[in-house]
Amino acid sequence: MVLKMKVSDSMADVTESMATPDVTEGSAQSCDHVVSLVGARKSFGDNMVLKDISLHVDKGDVLAIIGPSGGGKSTLLRCLTLLETLDAGELSYGDLKVISSGANGKAVYGDSGVIKQAKQRFGLVFQNFNLFPHYTVLKNVSDPLVSVLKVSKSEADERGRAILKKMGLEGKEDMVPCELSGGQQQRVAIARSLAMRPDVLYFDEPTSALDPELTREVLRVIRDLAKEKMTMVIVTHEMSFARDVADHLIFMDGGSVVESGRAIDVINDPQHERTREFLANYSVASA
């Protein structure tokens, strides 16, 4: 199954545009896609955790991924962000082919230069922030700009301060993470990724470590990014948020895409019995 998302015209700032789903079969790829994944398979020993997963994400799309624990969501995200290796499949970021299919059907990764380029095209926000505890807030944001993108320290600090202000963290630049709330730490993590100006921003359960009040704080930031047309892929258990913010949604279970389509349609009127069973465990309130 391929979840294919079509591009619309507008584009803005650190971000871009919106779309309509078209679920099709096949493996056609285009450099128009910000992310293109075809035929992804991954096993841990005898346990196949990704079973022929395909998806395309275009500029400005917000894709939500939902499903039960152990359904393959986080493994999919880790393969997309090159933290895990695929057994088979193809992956491209725009016109950059990262993984090809070899003659034996196995995944063939690009060289170190290709991998380095690919890692500069996406940002990843983890569940548990992953900030450097001994760095200040500003250094957490600006240091990757200097060490990875070779931006001058003055420019990196300027960019860091601007993005921290955007995240509502002005005045916190000289604090260290332990002096911040969990919601503030997660906003620093988002700022760190945004400062790198990625083509797509991945979130892996960004609110799972937060209480309800802080969850609303972080979801508000992501909602604002969606309004600015930031291209995002979000693994989440927040069903109301997924319905109201995502353009498209896939429901995964047992390593497969069980159902996909417009987020509002899948959440409000799921077509597959397994999707209905899963969503029955959630109260989906209006945002």
Side-chain angles (χ1 to χ4, degrees), residues 1-3 35-38 53-57 63 76 250:
M1 177 180 287
V2 176
L3 179 65
V35 184
S36 182
L37 180 71
V38 177
I53 303 292
S54 297
L55 60 86
H56 305 306
V57 184
L63 169 65
L76 173 59
I250 64 176

Side-chain angles (χ1 to χ4, degrees), residues 41 55 93-94 108-109 181 201 211 221:
R41 297 198 302 274
L55 60 86
Y93 279 97
V108 178
Y109 280 72
S181 70
L201 190 54
D211 64 33
V221 169

Side-chain angles (χ1 to χ4, degrees), residues 211-224:
D211 64 33
E213 183 176 3
L214 297 179
T215 291
R216 287 192 294 272
E217 175 185 316
V218 171
L219 293 182
R220 187 161 49 247
V221 169
I222 300 173
R223 190 184 302 272
D224 288 343

Side-chain angles (χ1 to χ4, degrees), residues 19 56 98 108 159 167 176 207-208 225 239 255 268-269 275-276:
H56 305 306
V98 184
V108 178
R159 193 189 298 185
M167 292 292 107
V176 291
T207 61
S208 64
L225 291 174
M239 298 303 141
N268 287 350
D269 187 24
T275 316
R276 290 194 289 269

Side-chain angles (χ1 to χ4, degrees), residues 87-248:
D87 299 327
E90 301 179 8
L91 173 65
S92 297
Y93 279 97
D95 58 357
L96 182 68
K97 188 79 169 193
V98 184
I99 307 172
S100 303
S101 184
N104 57 3
K106 292 185 178 181
V108 178
Y109 280 72
D111 61 24
S112 59
V114 168
I115 299 302
K116 181 178 179 180
Q117 287 184 65
K119 289 181 176 179
Q120 292 178 13
R121 298 198 181 191
F122 62 79
L124 174 60
V125 178
F126 297 90
Q127 297 179 22
N128 295 311
F129 325 136
N130 280 27
L131 301 175
F132 290 105
H134 57 293
Y135 282 7
T136 65
V137 165
L138 180 59
K139 187 172 175 60
N140 264 287
V141 175
S142 63
D143 190 68
L145 297 175
V146 176
S147 59
V148 177
L149 299 186
K150 309 305 179 185
V151 172
S152 69
K153 185 178 185 307
S154 60
E155 182 183 343
D157 285 350
E158 181 180 357
R159 193 189 298 185
R161 289 181 188 280
I163 201 71
L164 287 168
K165 182 178 181 179
K166 179 184 176 70
M167 292 292 107
L169 293 166
E170 190 175 21
K172 309 289 187 185
E173 295 89 348
D174 295 327
M175 293 182 174
V176 291
C178 67
E179 297 178 288
L180 304 178
S181 70
Q184 289 171 331
Q185 289 184 59
Q186 191 60 294
R187 281 187 280 153
V188 174
I190 295 170
R192 177 178 58 189
S193 287
L194 285 175
M196 301 290 285
R197 297 175 179 168
D199 295 334
V200 58
L201 190 54
Y202 293 106
F203 292 86
D204 186 7
E205 298 278 13
T207 61
S208 64
L210 304 176
D211 64 33
E213 183 176 3
L214 297 179
T215 291
R216 287 192 294 272
E217 175 185 316
V218 171
L219 293 182
R220 187 161 49 247
V221 169
I222 300 173
R223 190 184 302 272
D224 288 343
L225 291 174
K227 290 177 181 177
E228 295 172 2
K229 314 305 181 192
M230 182 71 210
T231 308
M232 294 183 283
V233 176
I234 307 168
V235 172
T236 183
H237 60 273
E238 301 287 342
M239 298 303 141
S240 298
F241 171 77
R243 178 196 62 195
D244 297 330
V245 175
D247 301 300
H248 314 287

